[in-house]
Amino acid sequence: GTDRVRLLPVQQITWIEAAGMYVKLHMRDGAEHLHRSLLGDLDDALDKRRFIRVHRSAIVNIDVIEELRQDAHGDYTVVLKDRTEVRLGRRYRARLQDRLGQDL
């Protein structure tokens, strides 16, 4: 088959996870797309006002963050509006706090 590059409307992406040499794009409609790219490269390319790195293997669309939940160990999970839970890496915590304007 021919390789078709889908140009996805960025605002439709809820979050992105690393998957080896690919990234998996999770869309608002529930669809998932594999895209050959490294998460770090995408992190550099995406609009910082809309997307934020929350883990070495995850980037989240700020618009769809519902809440931040802390567990017994003091680790945080980012809960999205569709109830997806994405772990917040410790080294990304301060940046997310600044971005959301709330202390964790």
Side-chain angles (χ1 to χ4, degrees), residues 5 9 12 40 42-43 62 70:
V5 176
Q12 293 303 316
L42 265 190
D43 190 30
I62 293 163
Q70 190 176 20

Side-chain angles (χ1 to χ4, degrees), residues 11-28:
Q11 66 276 13
Q12 293 303 316
I13 299 171
T14 56
W15 72 288
I16 305 165
E17 66 180 315
M21 294 301 296
Y22 291 81
V23 290
K24 187 183 281 186
L25 307 173
H26 296 266
M27 312 303 290
R28 287 183 193 256

Side-chain angles (χ1 to χ4, degrees), residues 6-17 23-35 42 46 50-51 59-61 64 80-84 86:
R6 261 202 197 87
L7 291 178
L8 299 164
V10 173
Q11 66 276 13
Q12 293 303 316
I13 299 171
T14 56
W15 72 288
I16 305 165
E17 66 180 315
V23 290
K24 187 183 281 186
L25 307 173
H26 296 266
M27 312 303 290
R28 287 183 193 256
D29 63 4
E32 295 174 358
H33 301 281
L34 272 181
H35 177 65
L42 265 190
L46 288 165
R50 172 162 283 163
F51 290 94
I59 296 170
V60 169
N61 181 336
V64 302
L80 307 185
K81 292 192 165 109
D82 66 3
R83 310 321 292 161
T84 299
V86 183

Side-chain angles (χ1 to χ4, degrees), residues 27-75:
M27 312 303 290
R28 287 183 193 256
D29 63 4
E32 295 174 358
H33 301 281
L34 272 181
H35 177 65
R36 193 173 172 90
S37 174
L38 294 174
L39 198 71
D41 295 342
L42 265 190
D43 190 30
D44 292 338
L46 288 165
D47 184 348
K48 294 285 181 278
R49 289 166 304 187
R50 172 162 283 163
F51 290 94
I52 190 159
R53 186 93 173 248
V54 296
H55 192 272
R56 64 185 160 75
S57 60
I59 296 170
V60 169
N61 181 336
I62 293 163
D63 290 343
V64 302
I65 296 177
E66 178 74 30
E67 61 172 338
L68 299 167
R69 190 180 301 147
Q70 190 176 20
D71 69 18
H73 307 292
D75 291 316

